[in-house]
Amino acid sequence: MGGRQRPPRARTPRQGRPADNGGGRVTSRVGIARIEGFLAWEAEVAAAERDARAFAARFPWLPDVERESLEQAYAADRLRYAEEVVDRAVGRCRRLAARYRAECRRICARWAALCLTVTLAAALFAVLPAALRG
């Protein structure tokens, strides 16, 4: 078959996040994720090419050039669809991550307000008896 389709667009890490925390763990996780993504994409390309050959084999009367053209078109359509699926999944993950970050900030703000209220109440109850005596 002809050349391989390009893999899904490279994703960049969130801005403002350190690339490394001193131990190399963030960098190595990103590297491993990229390798996994590359291998998954190569497996998808191989499956698309295999299925394209099987589909084109259903048309034995086609000349070899037309059969190869059919294989390439089939594989290209399938890879284009696979890329769209990946892009939709990435978009969904980003939306969920943003929603979870917002929820986490909201919960942290509530806990901070609760802790501040309890601290102020404890200080008030500690100072109030002394103020009432004097």
Side-chain angles (χ1 to χ4, degrees):
M1 275 202 145
R4 295 193 186 277
Q5 291 285 325
R6 70 172 178 80
R9 290 181 296 283
R11 309 308 195 250
T12 57
R14 281 190 355 229
Q15 297 300 322
R17 176 176 255 186
D20 189 4
N21 61 0
R25 284 179 278 172
V26 172
T27 303
S28 62
R29 274 188 274 162
V30 170
I32 290 171
R34 285 184 179 158
I35 291 170
E36 287 176 342
F38 173 79
L39 293 174
W41 184 253
E42 287 299 309
E44 183 63 33
V45 169
E49 290 174 348
R50 182 192 65 236
D51 292 347
R53 279 190 297 277
F55 179 73
R58 295 180 188 174
F59 305 99
W61 61 87
L62 288 176
D64 290 341
V65 173
E66 289 181 15
R67 190 174 303 119
E68 185 173 323
S69 176
L70 179 64
E71 287 178 22
Q72 289 174 353
Y74 182 100
D77 283 347
R78 174 152 165 193
L79 292 174
R80 193 171 18 262
Y81 175 74
E83 188 175 28
E84 290 170 5
V85 168
V86 168
D87 288 342
R88 283 193 304 271
V90 166
R92 174 78 173 138
C93 288
R94 287 183 177 162
R95 286 190 303 277
L96 283 174
R99 190 170 113 197
Y100 293 149
R101 278 192 302 274
E103 186 68 17
C104 185
R105 281 192 296 270
R106 188 183 64 78
I107 290 170
C108 287
R110 281 185 175 182
W111 271 107
L114 177 66
C115 291
L116 182 62
T117 302
V118 168
T119 303
L120 290 175
L124 180 64
F125 287 127
V127 173
L128 189 60
L132 291 177
R133 275 189 248 142

